[in-house]
Amino acid sequence: MNNYIKFFGTAGGRFSVFNQIRASGGIWLSLSGTNVLVDPGPGSLIKLIESGRSARDIDAVYLSHRHLDHSADINSVVESMTSGGRKHHGAVFAPDDAWDDDPVILKYNRSNYDNIRTCAGSSWSVGNIKISTPLKLMHPVENFAVRFDGNSCSVGYISDTLYFEPLKKVFSNIDILIINTVFVHSRENIYHLSVHDVIPIISAVKPKKAVITHFSTEVLRENPDKIASELSKSGIEVIAAYDGMQIKLDEI
Ligand SMILES: [Zn+2]
C-alpha cells in the first residue's frame, strides 16, 4: 500500500499565511487507500489540483479548527469533492463552532456529505482508517488533537494550541507526529506552540519521526531546517516541512 503525507502548505501565523510567504493548502494524507485532506487553508484547492490530484478522491476533509488559515478553502474543496454538489460523497470532520454560529462551513451543500462533529474522546471509521480525537487543545476556538490510524501506520497531528502537560500523553504508538510550531519563543496570551514546546512533547510521545510545520516568519527567519536538526538532538528525528514535501510512510 502506498502510504504517504504530502504538505500542500506549511505557513502559520497571520503574516506568513496572508502574505503567502509559505503556502497554506493543508496536508494530504493517504493511508491504507483512504485519502484525508487536513486543514484546507487559503489556496488548498489550487494546490490539490496542481499536484495532479482530484478532490473527488478525498474520502474525508478534517478541519482541526475554524481559523481562516486552516479553513478558508473548505467550501471550495468540499464543492469539488461532491462534484459541485451533484454527488453525495465523503465526510467533513469539524468542531461544533465550525458548523454553528457564523459557520465557516456553508450550509447549502451539507446534505451532500457526512457531517461529523469532532469532540474529545471520540473515534470514527472512514474507509480503511480510524480517525480519533483524544484531547481538546487550548486554543481560543474549539480544536482537538487527532490521530489517523491505517492498517500499517499512524499519524498524529497537534494543531494550534498553548503548551499544556496532557500533550505529553496525547498519543502512544504513533509513527509520525506533526506539530504546528508557530513561534521560536513562546508569547504570553498567544495560544500557539513554540520550538521550546516541541522537546517535552516528542520526548514523551516518542514518535518514530516528528515533523514541525505551520511556520510564522519568526521561525522562517531562524531557518526551520536548522531548528529541526537542533531538536533532533533529543534522540527523536525531527524534520521541518516545506511546501510540496512528501513523506513516504512505508519507509519509516
Ligand atoms: Zn488557530
Side-chain angles (χ1 to χ4, degrees):
M1 191 62 73
N2 188 14
N3 297 300
Y4 67 91
I5 305 170
K6 188 172 177 72
F7 290 81
F8 289 155
T10 55
R14 282 189 196 93
F15 196 83
S16 182
V17 172
F18 293 104
N19 292 290
Q20 290 290 288
I21 291 168
R22 288 268 183 120
S24 50
I27 305 165
W28 179 279
L29 215 64
S30 199
L31 272 184
S32 303
T34 298
N35 297 320
V36 183
L37 178 62
V38 178
D39 284 347
S44 188
L45 182 61
I46 291 173
K47 288 289 170 196
L48 187 157
I49 289 170
E50 279 178 357
S51 77
R53 290 168 179 79
S54 164
R56 287 188 294 280
D57 295 332
I58 297 173
D59 297 294
V61 175
Y62 180 89
L63 177 65
S64 68
H65 67 291
R66 58 174 285 122
H67 284 155
L68 273 184
D69 50 337
H70 299 253
S71 70
D73 248 19
I74 193 162
N75 295 297
S76 313
V77 165
V78 167
E79 185 91 9
S80 184
M81 177 180 85
T82 56
S83 302
R86 286 199 300 274
K87 214 171 146 192
H88 192 285
H89 176 74
V92 174
F93 289 73
D96 283 340
D97 63 358
W99 298 100
D100 296 333
D101 301 336
D102 189 20
V104 292
I105 303 167
L106 294 172
K107 292 181 179 173
Y108 76 91
N109 194 21
R110 289 185 187 178
S111 60
N112 292 314
Y113 53 87
D114 296 339
N115 298 195
I116 315 269
R117 289 171 178 256
T118 47
C119 52
S122 279
S123 63
W124 303 264
S125 291
V126 182
N128 304 318
I129 69 167
K130 196 169 107 182
I131 299 179
S132 318
T133 46
L135 178 70
K136 188 169 200 252
L137 298 174
M138 292 183 73
H139 204 51
V141 298
E142 280 184 288
N143 195 3
F144 303 94
V146 61
R147 68 179 292 158
F148 305 90
D149 285 282
N151 297 327
S152 59
C153 44
S154 54
V155 176
Y157 174 46
I158 298 175
S159 174
D160 299 353
T161 182
L162 189 71
Y163 179 80
F164 63 127
E165 287 294 306
L167 289 174
K168 297 204 299 203
K169 292 195 199 128
V170 63
F171 303 125
S172 56
N173 296 320
I174 205 96
D175 293 320
I176 296 273
L177 178 59
I178 301 168
I179 303 176
N180 282 2
T181 310
V182 181
F183 296 118
V184 176
H185 305 285
S186 310
R187 299 175 185 198
E188 224 176 312
N189 299 321
I190 303 282
Y191 285 51
H192 283 290
L193 293 173
S194 70
V195 170
H196 301 284
D197 300 322
V198 173
I199 295 274
I201 297 172
I202 59 174
S203 302
V205 172
K206 295 186 174 31
K208 288 187 185 149
K209 193 183 279 216
V211 185
I212 54 171
T213 185
H214 210 55
F215 303 132
S216 68
T217 48
E218 185 193 49
V219 172
L220 293 173
R221 259 197 314 272
E222 300 268 329
N223 187 345
D225 286 333
K226 215 172 96 190
I227 291 169
S229 70
E230 279 297 313
L231 290 170
S232 296
K233 290 178 184 164
S234 65
I236 305 284
E237 187 194 352
V238 180
I239 55 173
Y242 54 87
D243 294 346
M245 181 175 84
Q246 189 161 317
I247 301 174
K248 289 183 181 163
L249 301 176
D250 300 309
E251 291 168 11
I252 288 165

